[in-house]
């Protein structure tokens, strides 16, 4: 499983979303390294196995997202990815 956390400095939603991701990974016992990376696209974006958790269309527009995952949706996405065979 690959997990990317993409953000730009100054996005007000990025810190809380990062804490949410950390909390969900801990609850599920997932120890895979997360690729925390700055970028100029929608922030924050969490991709699991290359797919945006929020199922957004690919975009390179720099904007602070309002469609951030809930704990329930992120836990579900992580659990589904963990159960998939490589």
């Amino acid at each position: 499983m690959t997990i990317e956390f993409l953000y730009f400095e100054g996005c007000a939603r990025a810190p809380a979303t990062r804490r949410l991701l950390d909390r969900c990974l801990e609850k599920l016992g997932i120890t895979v390294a997360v690729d925390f990376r700055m970028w100029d696209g929608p922030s924050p974006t969490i991709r699991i196995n290359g797919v945006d958790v929020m199922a957004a269309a690919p975009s390179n527009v720099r904007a602070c997202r309002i469609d951030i995952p809930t704990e329930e949706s992120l836990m579900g996405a992580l659990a589904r990815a963990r159960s998939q065979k490589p």
Side-chain angles (χ1 to χ4, degrees), residues 6-66:
L6 309 170
Y7 66 101
F8 60 79
E9 194 170 327
C11 175
R13 293 178 182 89
T17 305
R18 182 174 179 165
R19 288 190 300 273
L20 173 64
L21 175 58
D22 291 342
R23 193 167 56 250
C24 290
L25 291 170
E26 184 177 329
K27 283 183 176 183
L28 291 171
I30 296 173
T31 58
V32 66
V34 177
D35 180 12
F36 293 99
R37 192 169 68 232
M38 292 186 73
W39 80 327
D40 282 327
S43 174
T45 292
I46 299 173
R47 290 188 205 160
I48 300 174
N49 297 332
V51 178
D52 187 332
V53 169
M54 297 308 294
S59 173
N60 61 355
V61 175
R62 182 183 171 120
C64 203
R65 295 177 76 151
I66 57 172

